[in-house]
PDB file of all heavy atoms in Angstrom:
ATOM      1  N   GLY A1055     200.630 216.282 -98.751  1.00  0.00           N
ATOM      2  CA  GLY A1055     200.196 215.398 -99.836  1.00  0.00           C
ATOM      3  C   GLY A1055     198.702 215.094 -99.728  1.00  0.00           C
ATOM      4  O   GLY A1055     198.287 213.928 -99.809  1.00  0.00           O
ATOM      5  N   GLY A1056     197.914 216.131 -99.612  1.00  0.00           N
ATOM      6  CA  GLY A1056     196.470 215.931 -99.445  1.00  0.00           C
ATOM      7  C   GLY A1056     195.681 215.988-100.749  1.00  0.00           C
ATOM      8  O   GLY A1056     194.450 215.972-100.726  1.00  0.00           O
ATOM      9  N   SER A1057     196.362 216.064-101.876  1.00  0.00           N
ATOM     10  CA  SER A1057     195.668 216.231-103.142  1.00  0.00           C
ATOM     11  C   SER A1057     195.154 214.940-103.735  1.00  0.00           C
ATOM     12  O   SER A1057     194.203 214.963-104.545  1.00  0.00           O
ATOM     13  CB  SER A1057     196.586 216.930-104.165  1.00  0.00           C
ATOM     14  OG  SER A1057     197.840 216.322-104.169  1.00  0.00           O
ATOM     15  N   ARG A1058     195.751 213.813-103.371  1.00  0.00           N
ATOM     16  CA  ARG A1058     195.339 212.540-103.981  1.00  0.00           C
ATOM     17  C   ARG A1058     195.460 211.405-102.985  1.00  0.00           C
ATOM     18  O   ARG A1058     196.073 211.549-101.917  1.00  0.00           O
ATOM     19  CB  ARG A1058     196.240 212.229-105.187  1.00  0.00           C
ATOM     20  CG  ARG A1058     195.970 213.116-106.357  1.00  0.00           C
ATOM     21  CD  ARG A1058     196.831 212.753-107.570  1.00  0.00           C
ATOM     22  NE  ARG A1058     198.256 213.042-107.355  1.00  0.00           N
ATOM     23  CZ  ARG A1058     199.226 212.184-107.614  1.00  0.00           C
ATOM     24  NH1 ARG A1058     198.958 210.980-108.060  1.00  0.00           N
ATOM     25  NH2 ARG A1058     200.494 212.545-107.397  1.00  0.00           N
ATOM     26  N   GLY A1059     194.948 210.257-103.329  1.00  0.00           N
ATOM     27  CA  GLY A1059     195.161 209.019-102.587  1.00  0.00           C
ATOM     28  C   GLY A1059     194.791 209.097-101.112  1.00  0.00           C
ATOM     29  O   GLY A1059     193.753 209.623-100.730  1.00  0.00           O
ATOM     30  N   ILE A1060     195.693 208.554-100.278  1.00  0.00           N
ATOM     31  CA  ILE A1060     195.428 208.469 -98.817  1.00  0.00           C
ATOM     32  C   ILE A1060     195.265 209.862 -98.221  1.00  0.00           C
ATOM     33  O   ILE A1060     194.409 210.090 -97.349  1.00  0.00           O
ATOM     34  CB  ILE A1060     196.586 207.685 -98.152  1.00  0.00           C
ATOM     35  CG1 ILE A1060     196.563 206.227 -98.603  1.00  0.00           C
ATOM     36  CG2 ILE A1060     196.503 207.822 -96.621  1.00  0.00           C
ATOM     37  CD1 ILE A1060     197.824 205.417 -98.231  1.00  0.00           C
ATOM     38  N   TYR A1079     200.309 220.131-101.414  1.00  0.00           N
ATOM     39  CA  TYR A1079     200.481 219.300-102.626  1.00  0.00           C
ATOM     40  C   TYR A1079     201.808 219.710-103.268  1.00  0.00           C
ATOM     41  O   TYR A1079     202.401 220.732-102.907  1.00  0.00           O
ATOM     42  CB  TYR A1079     199.327 219.500-103.603  1.00  0.00           C
ATOM     43  CG  TYR A1079     199.229 220.886-104.180  1.00  0.00           C
ATOM     44  CD1 TYR A1079     199.788 221.199-105.425  1.00  0.00           C
ATOM     45  CD2 TYR A1079     198.584 221.902-103.472  1.00  0.00           C
ATOM     46  CE1 TYR A1079     199.735 222.474-105.928  1.00  0.00           C
ATOM     47  CE2 TYR A1079     198.519 223.192-103.975  1.00  0.00           C
ATOM     48  CZ  TYR A1079     199.108 223.462-105.205  1.00  0.00           C
ATOM     49  OH  TYR A1079     199.067 224.735-105.699  1.00  0.00           O
ATOM     50  N   ALA A1080     202.239 218.886-104.254  1.00  0.00           N
ATOM     51  CA  ALA A1080     203.519 219.172-104.906  1.00  0.00           C
ATOM     52  C   ALA A1080     203.303 219.751-106.303  1.00  0.00           C
ATOM     53  O   ALA A1080     203.884 220.770-106.659  1.00  0.00           O
ATOM     54  CB  ALA A1080     204.349 217.897-104.993  1.00  0.00           C
ATOM     55  N   SER A1081     202.457 219.081-107.114  1.00  0.00           N
ATOM     56  CA  SER A1081     202.458 219.419-108.535  1.00  0.00           C
ATOM     57  C   SER A1081     201.071 219.435-109.171  1.00  0.00           C
ATOM     58  O   SER A1081     200.959 219.668-110.367  1.00  0.00           O
ATOM     59  CB  SER A1081     203.330 218.401-109.285  1.00  0.00           C
ATOM     60  OG  SER A1081     202.784 217.103-109.070  1.00  0.00           O
ATOM     61  N   ARG A1082     200.035 219.120-108.420  1.00  0.00           N
ATOM     62  CA  ARG A1082     198.712 219.020-109.053  1.00  0.00           C
ATOM     63  C   ARG A1082     197.716 219.965-108.364  1.00  0.00           C
ATOM     64  O   ARG A1082     196.893 219.537-107.551  1.00  0.00           O
ATOM     65  CB  ARG A1082     198.191 217.588-108.971  1.00  0.00           C
ATOM     66  CG  ARG A1082     199.207 216.625-109.559  1.00  0.00           C
ATOM     67  CD  ARG A1082     198.548 215.419-110.133  1.00  0.00           C
ATOM     68  NE  ARG A1082     199.564 214.448-110.479  1.00  0.00           N
ATOM     69  CZ  ARG A1082     199.336 213.312-111.095  1.00  0.00           C
ATOM     70  NH1 ARG A1082     198.096 212.994-111.412  1.00  0.00           N
ATOM     71  NH2 ARG A1082     200.313 212.493-111.357  1.00  0.00           N
ATOM     72  N   ALA A1105     203.615 223.055-101.682  1.00  0.00           N
ATOM     73  CA  ALA A1105     204.863 222.965-100.902  1.00  0.00           C
ATOM     74  C   ALA A1105     205.514 221.651-101.186  1.00  0.00           C
ATOM     75  O   ALA A1105     204.962 220.599-100.862  1.00  0.00           O
ATOM     76  CB  ALA A1105     204.555 223.133 -99.403  1.00  0.00           C
ATOM     77  N   ASP A1106     206.690 221.666-101.758  1.00  0.00           N
ATOM     78  CA  ASP A1106     207.462 220.449-102.005  1.00  0.00           C
ATOM     79  C   ASP A1106     208.104 220.048-100.668  1.00  0.00           C
ATOM     80  O   ASP A1106     208.929 220.770-100.131  1.00  0.00           O
ATOM     81  CB  ASP A1106     208.546 220.767-103.056  1.00  0.00           C
ATOM     82  CG  ASP A1106     209.380 219.542-103.401  1.00  0.00           C
ATOM     83  OD1 ASP A1106     209.432 218.586-102.624  1.00  0.00           O
ATOM     84  OD2 ASP A1106     210.024 219.591-104.481  1.00  0.00           O
ATOM     85  N   CYS A1107     207.739 218.849-100.183  1.00  0.00           N
ATOM     86  CA  CYS A1107     208.258 218.391 -98.897  1.00  0.00           C
ATOM     87  C   CYS A1107     209.751 218.085 -98.941  1.00  0.00           C
ATOM     88  O   CYS A1107     210.358 217.848 -97.900  1.00  0.00           O
ATOM     89  CB  CYS A1107     207.477 217.192 -98.398  1.00  0.00           C
ATOM     90  SG  CYS A1107     205.877 217.681 -97.707  1.00  0.00           S
ATOM     91  N   GLY A1108     210.348 218.094-100.116  1.00  0.00           N
ATOM     92  CA  GLY A1108     211.782 217.902-100.239  1.00  0.00           C
ATOM     93  C   GLY A1108     212.549 219.206-100.144  1.00  0.00           C
ATOM     94  O   GLY A1108     213.780 219.229-100.291  1.00  0.00           O
ATOM     95  N   ASN A1133     202.045 212.815 -94.480  1.00  0.00           N
ATOM     96  CA  ASN A1133     201.601 211.795 -95.440  1.00  0.00           C
ATOM     97  C   ASN A1133     202.381 211.822 -96.760  1.00  0.00           C
ATOM     98  O   ASN A1133     202.533 210.774 -97.396  1.00  0.00           O
ATOM     99  CB  ASN A1133     200.104 212.006 -95.721  1.00  0.00           C
ATOM    100  CG  ASN A1133     199.630 211.222 -96.932  1.00  0.00           C
ATOM    101  OD1 ASN A1133     199.485 210.001 -96.891  1.00  0.00           O
ATOM    102  ND2 ASN A1133     199.419 211.918 -98.036  1.00  0.00           N
ATOM    103  N   ALA A1134     202.836 212.978 -97.204  1.00  0.00           N
ATOM    104  CA  ALA A1134     203.462 213.067 -98.543  1.00  0.00           C
ATOM    105  C   ALA A1134     204.605 212.090 -98.662  1.00  0.00           C
ATOM    106  O   ALA A1134     205.435 211.949 -97.759  1.00  0.00           O
ATOM    107  CB  ALA A1134     203.958 214.499 -98.777  1.00  0.00           C
ATOM    108  N   GLY A1135     204.639 211.408 -99.778  1.00  0.00           N
ATOM    109  CA  GLY A1135     205.729 210.465-100.021  1.00  0.00           C
ATOM    110  C   GLY A1135     205.609 209.914-101.420  1.00  0.00           C
ATOM    111  O   GLY A1135     204.545 210.020-102.042  1.00  0.00           O
ATOM    112  N   ARG A1153     217.105 212.614-103.122  1.00  0.00           N
ATOM    113  CA  ARG A1153     215.748 213.149-103.293  1.00  0.00           C
ATOM    114  C   ARG A1153     214.707 212.339-102.511  1.00  0.00           C
ATOM    115  O   ARG A1153     213.839 212.893-101.834  1.00  0.00           O
ATOM    116  CB  ARG A1153     215.423 213.152-104.803  1.00  0.00           C
ATOM    117  CG  ARG A1153     214.013 213.565-105.138  1.00  0.00           C
ATOM    118  CD  ARG A1153     213.722 215.019-104.901  1.00  0.00           C
ATOM    119  NE  ARG A1153     212.334 215.373-105.205  1.00  0.00           N
ATOM    120  CZ  ARG A1153     211.681 216.413-104.745  1.00  0.00           C
ATOM    121  NH1 ARG A1153     212.286 217.283-103.953  1.00  0.00           N
ATOM    122  NH2 ARG A1153     210.425 216.638-105.058  1.00  0.00           N
ATOM    123  N   VAL A1157     212.425 213.946 -99.428  1.00  0.00           N
ATOM    124  CA  VAL A1157     210.959 214.057 -99.408  1.00  0.00           C
ATOM    125  C   VAL A1157     210.380 213.168 -98.317  1.00  0.00           C
ATOM    126  O   VAL A1157     209.610 213.620 -97.460  1.00  0.00           O
ATOM    127  CB  VAL A1157     210.360 213.673-100.778  1.00  0.00           C
ATOM    128  CG1 VAL A1157     208.846 213.630-100.724  1.00  0.00           C
ATOM    129  CG2 VAL A1157     210.823 214.648-101.863  1.00  0.00           C
ATOM    130  N   VAL A1187     202.636 208.675 -92.056  1.00  0.00           N
ATOM    131  CA  VAL A1187     202.286 207.545 -92.890  1.00  0.00           C
ATOM    132  C   VAL A1187     203.561 206.828 -93.328  1.00  0.00           C
ATOM    133  O   VAL A1187     204.311 207.277 -94.210  1.00  0.00           O
ATOM    134  CB  VAL A1187     201.450 207.969 -94.124  1.00  0.00           C
ATOM    135  CG1 VAL A1187     201.039 206.745 -94.939  1.00  0.00           C
ATOM    136  CG2 VAL A1187     200.207 208.740 -93.667  1.00  0.00           C
ATOM    137  N   SER A1188     203.848 205.737 -92.629  1.00  0.00           N
ATOM    138  CA  SER A1188     204.977 204.891 -92.957  1.00  0.00           C
ATOM    139  C   SER A1188     204.495 203.827 -93.973  1.00  0.00           C
ATOM    140  O   SER A1188     203.665 204.156 -94.830  1.00  0.00           O
ATOM    141  CB  SER A1188     205.493 204.259 -91.650  1.00  0.00           C
ATOM    142  OG  SER A1188     206.512 203.317 -91.920  1.00  0.00           O
ATOM    143  N   SER A1189     204.931 202.598 -93.837  1.00  0.00           N
ATOM    144  CA  SER A1189     204.509 201.551 -94.757  1.00  0.00           C
ATOM    145  C   SER A1189     204.906 200.189 -94.199  1.00  0.00           C
ATOM    146  O   SER A1189     205.928 200.063 -93.508  1.00  0.00           O
ATOM    147  CB  SER A1189     205.194 201.729 -96.122  1.00  0.00           C
ATOM    148  OG  SER A1189     204.909 200.624 -96.960  1.00  0.00           O
ATOM    149  N   TYR A1203     212.897 202.958-101.148  1.00  0.00           N
ATOM    150  CA  TYR A1203     211.617 203.434-100.618  1.00  0.00           C
ATOM    151  C   TYR A1203     211.322 202.784 -99.263  1.00  0.00           C
ATOM    152  O   TYR A1203     210.993 203.462 -98.281  1.00  0.00           O
ATOM    153  CB  TYR A1203     210.502 203.101-101.601  1.00  0.00           C
ATOM    154  CG  TYR A1203     209.096 203.275-101.085  1.00  0.00           C
ATOM    155  CD1 TYR A1203     208.525 204.545-100.974  1.00  0.00           C
ATOM    156  CD2 TYR A1203     208.346 202.184-100.664  1.00  0.00           C
ATOM    157  CE1 TYR A1203     207.222 204.700-100.471  1.00  0.00           C
ATOM    158  CE2 TYR A1203     207.069 202.329-100.156  1.00  0.00           C
ATOM    159  CZ  TYR A1203     206.498 203.600-100.077  1.00  0.00           C
ATOM    160  OH  TYR A1203     205.227 203.768 -99.575  1.00  0.00           O
ATOM    161  N   LYS A1207     210.881 204.328 -95.173  1.00  0.00           N
ATOM    162  CA  LYS A1207     209.778 204.048 -94.245  1.00  0.00           C
ATOM    163  C   LYS A1207     210.324 203.427 -92.947  1.00  0.00           C
ATOM    164  O   LYS A1207     209.759 203.676 -91.877  1.00  0.00           O
ATOM    165  CB  LYS A1207     208.732 203.159 -94.916  1.00  0.00           C
ATOM    166  CG  LYS A1207     208.093 203.813 -96.158  1.00  0.00           C
ATOM    167  CD  LYS A1207     207.416 205.122 -95.839  1.00  0.00           C
ATOM    168  CE  LYS A1207     206.647 205.713 -96.998  1.00  0.00           C
ATOM    169  NZ  LYS A1207     205.917 206.948 -96.654  1.00  0.00           N
ATOM    170  N   PRO A1233     200.445 201.380 -93.933  1.00  0.00           N
ATOM    171  CA  PRO A1233     199.574 200.728 -94.894  1.00  0.00           C
ATOM    172  C   PRO A1233     200.302 199.605 -95.639  1.00  0.00           C
ATOM    173  O   PRO A1233     201.531 199.666 -95.826  1.00  0.00           O
ATOM    174  CB  PRO A1233     199.222 201.852 -95.881  1.00  0.00           C
ATOM    175  CG  PRO A1233     199.590 203.120 -95.163  1.00  0.00           C
ATOM    176  CD  PRO A1233     200.699 202.767 -94.251  1.00  0.00           C
ATOM    177  N   GLY A1234     199.532 198.612 -96.062  1.00  0.00           N
ATOM    178  CA  GLY A1234     200.065 197.582 -96.937  1.00  0.00           C
ATOM    179  C   GLY A1234     199.809 198.006 -98.384  1.00  0.00           C
ATOM    180  O   GLY A1234     200.134 199.122 -98.776  1.00  0.00           O
ATOM    181  N   LEU A1235     199.197 197.127 -99.150  1.00  0.00           N
ATOM    182  CA  LEU A1235     198.900 197.427-100.552  1.00  0.00           C
ATOM    183  C   LEU A1235     197.577 198.220-100.631  1.00  0.00           C
ATOM    184  O   LEU A1235     196.529 197.665-100.320  1.00  0.00           O
ATOM    185  CB  LEU A1235     198.757 196.103-101.306  1.00  0.00           C
ATOM    186  CG  LEU A1235     198.605 196.180-102.816  1.00  0.00           C
ATOM    187  CD1 LEU A1235     199.876 196.723-103.472  1.00  0.00           C
ATOM    188  CD2 LEU A1235     198.277 194.781-103.354  1.00  0.00           C
ATOM    189  N   VAL A1236     197.685 199.483-101.021  1.00  0.00           N
ATOM    190  CA  VAL A1236     196.508 200.336-101.049  1.00  0.00           C
ATOM    191  C   VAL A1236     196.312 200.878-102.462  1.00  0.00           C
ATOM    192  O   VAL A1236     197.309 201.267-103.123  1.00  0.00           O
ATOM    193  CB  VAL A1236     196.640 201.485-100.035  1.00  0.00           C
ATOM    194  CG1 VAL A1236     195.417 202.408-100.084  1.00  0.00           C
ATOM    195  CG2 VAL A1236     196.837 200.950 -98.619  1.00  0.00           C
ATOM    196  N   THR A1238     195.989 203.221-104.902  1.00  0.00           N
ATOM    197  CA  THR A1238     196.207 204.657-105.223  1.00  0.00           C
ATOM    198  C   THR A1238     197.132 204.734-106.439  1.00  0.00           C
ATOM    199  O   THR A1238     197.644 203.727-106.929  1.00  0.00           O
ATOM    200  CB  THR A1238     196.879 205.432-104.060  1.00  0.00           C
ATOM    201  OG1 THR A1238     198.230 204.985-103.959  1.00  0.00           O
ATOM    202  CG2 THR A1238     196.148 205.222-102.736  1.00  0.00           C
ATOM    203  N   ASP A1239     197.382 205.969-106.859  1.00  0.00           N
ATOM    204  CA  ASP A1239     198.246 206.212-108.046  1.00  0.00           C
ATOM    205  C   ASP A1239     199.710 205.838-107.803  1.00  0.00           C
ATOM    206  O   ASP A1239     200.487 205.724-108.759  1.00  0.00           O
ATOM    207  CB  ASP A1239     198.240 207.707-108.405  1.00  0.00           C
ATOM    208  CG  ASP A1239     196.869 208.197-108.829  1.00  0.00           C
ATOM    209  OD1 ASP A1239     195.997 207.363-109.125  1.00  0.00           O
ATOM    210  OD2 ASP A1239     196.679 209.419-108.856  1.00  0.00           O
ATOM    211  N   ILE A1240     200.132 205.715-106.554  1.00  0.00           N
ATOM    212  CA  ILE A1240     201.566 205.638-106.255  1.00  0.00           C
ATOM    213  C   ILE A1240     202.242 204.478-106.985  1.00  0.00           C
ATOM    214  O   ILE A1240     203.419 204.570-107.369  1.00  0.00           O
ATOM    215  CB  ILE A1240     201.815 205.538-104.710  1.00  0.00           C
ATOM    216  CG1 ILE A1240     203.249 205.958-104.352  1.00  0.00           C
ATOM    217  CG2 ILE A1240     201.476 204.164-104.182  1.00  0.00           C
ATOM    218  CD1 ILE A1240     203.497 206.136-102.845  1.00  0.00           C
ATOM    219  N   HIS A1241     201.495 203.390-107.223  1.00  0.00           N
ATOM    220  CA  HIS A1241     202.101 202.208-107.811  1.00  0.00           C
ATOM    221  C   HIS A1241     202.555 202.438-109.255  1.00  0.00           C
ATOM    222  O   HIS A1241     203.483 201.782-109.731  1.00  0.00           O
ATOM    223  CB  HIS A1241     201.126 201.020-107.713  1.00  0.00           C
ATOM    224  CG  HIS A1241     200.667 200.802-106.306  1.00  0.00           C
ATOM    225  ND1 HIS A1241     201.483 200.235-105.348  1.00  0.00           N
ATOM    226  CD2 HIS A1241     199.506 201.131-105.667  1.00  0.00           C
ATOM    227  CE1 HIS A1241     200.837 200.231-104.181  1.00  0.00           C
ATOM    228  NE2 HIS A1241     199.636 200.777-104.355  1.00  0.00           N
TER     229      HIS A1241
HETATM  230  P1  NAP B1558     199.610 209.104-104.208  1.00  0.00           P
HETATM  231  O1  NAP B1558     198.204 208.696-104.549  1.00  0.00           O
HETATM  232  O2  NAP B1558     200.685 209.004-105.229  1.00  0.00           O
HETATM  233  O3  NAP B1558     199.547 210.573-103.575  1.00  0.00           O
HETATM  234  C1  NAP B1558     200.758 211.158-103.140  1.00  0.00           C
HETATM  235  C2  NAP B1558     200.468 212.501-102.550  1.00  0.00           C
HETATM  236  O4  NAP B1558     201.700 213.046-102.051  1.00  0.00           O
HETATM  237  C3  NAP B1558     199.933 213.497-103.557  1.00  0.00           C
HETATM  238  O5  NAP B1558     199.044 214.366-102.874  1.00  0.00           O
HETATM  239  C4  NAP B1558     201.176 214.228-104.017  1.00  0.00           C
HETATM  240  O6  NAP B1558     200.938 215.566-104.470  1.00  0.00           O
HETATM  241  C5  NAP B1558     201.962 214.259-102.731  1.00  0.00           C
HETATM  242  N1  NAP B1558     203.407 214.401-102.934  1.00  0.00           N
HETATM  243  C6  NAP B1558     204.208 213.605-103.676  1.00  0.00           C
HETATM  244  N2  NAP B1558     205.483 214.086-103.662  1.00  0.00           N
HETATM  245  C7  NAP B1558     205.461 215.199-102.884  1.00  0.00           C
HETATM  246  C8  NAP B1558     206.406 216.148-102.511  1.00  0.00           C
HETATM  247  N3  NAP B1558     207.698 216.100-102.927  1.00  0.00           N
HETATM  248  N4  NAP B1558     206.016 217.174-101.715  1.00  0.00           N
HETATM  249  C9  NAP B1558     204.731 217.299-101.303  1.00  0.00           C
HETATM  250  N5  NAP B1558     203.775 216.445-101.649  1.00  0.00           N
HETATM  251  C10 NAP B1558     204.139 215.398-102.441  1.00  0.00           C
HETATM  252  O7  NAP B1558     200.152 208.184-102.999  1.00  0.00           O
HETATM  253  P2  NAP B1558     199.456 207.449-101.754  1.00  0.00           P
HETATM  254  O8  NAP B1558     199.431 206.029-102.022  1.00  0.00           O
HETATM  255  O9  NAP B1558     198.241 208.159-101.349  1.00  0.00           O
HETATM  256  O10 NAP B1558     200.627 207.688-100.674  1.00  0.00           O
HETATM  257  C11 NAP B1558     200.481 208.500 -99.514  1.00  0.00           C
HETATM  258  C12 NAP B1558     201.461 207.989 -98.489  1.00  0.00           C
HETATM  259  O11 NAP B1558     201.134 206.641 -98.167  1.00  0.00           O
HETATM  260  C13 NAP B1558     202.914 207.979 -98.945  1.00  0.00           C
HETATM  261  O12 NAP B1558     203.751 208.387 -97.904  1.00  0.00           O
HETATM  262  C14 NAP B1558     203.147 206.515 -99.279  1.00  0.00           C
HETATM  263  O13 NAP B1558     204.490 206.174 -99.176  1.00  0.00           O
HETATM  264  C15 NAP B1558     202.298 205.837 -98.234  1.00  0.00           C
HETATM  265  N6  NAP B1558     201.935 204.467 -98.534  1.00  0.00           N
HETATM  266  C16 NAP B1558     201.159 204.142 -99.622  1.00  0.00           C
HETATM  267  C17 NAP B1558     200.855 202.808 -99.854  1.00  0.00           C
HETATM  268  C18 NAP B1558     200.002 202.373-101.039  1.00  0.00           C
HETATM  269  O14 NAP B1558     199.947 201.158-101.323  1.00  0.00           O
HETATM  270  N7  NAP B1558     199.341 203.266-101.721  1.00  0.00           N
HETATM  271  C19 NAP B1558     201.352 201.801 -98.984  1.00  0.00           C
HETATM  272  C20 NAP B1558     202.120 202.192 -97.905  1.00  0.00           C
HETATM  273  C21 NAP B1558     202.404 203.499 -97.692  1.00  0.00           C
HETATM  274  P3  NAP B1558     200.588 215.878-106.048  1.00  0.00           P
HETATM  275  O15 NAP B1558     199.181 215.395-106.276  1.00  0.00           O
HETATM  276  O16 NAP B1558     200.696 217.349-106.161  1.00  0.00           O
HETATM  277  O17 NAP B1558     201.579 215.107-106.860  1.00  0.00           O
END
Side-chain angles (χ1 to χ4, degrees):
S1057 47
R1058 289 182 291 131
I1060 292 168
Y1079 65 95
S1081 59
R1082 306 209 189 185
D1106 181 340
C1107 282
N1133 166 75
R1153 174 70 182 159
V1157 174
V1187 183
S1188 175
S1189 173
Y1203 168 78
K1207 299 301 186 176
L1235 186 67
V1236 179
T1238 71
D1239 296 344
I1240 200 169
H1241 305 285

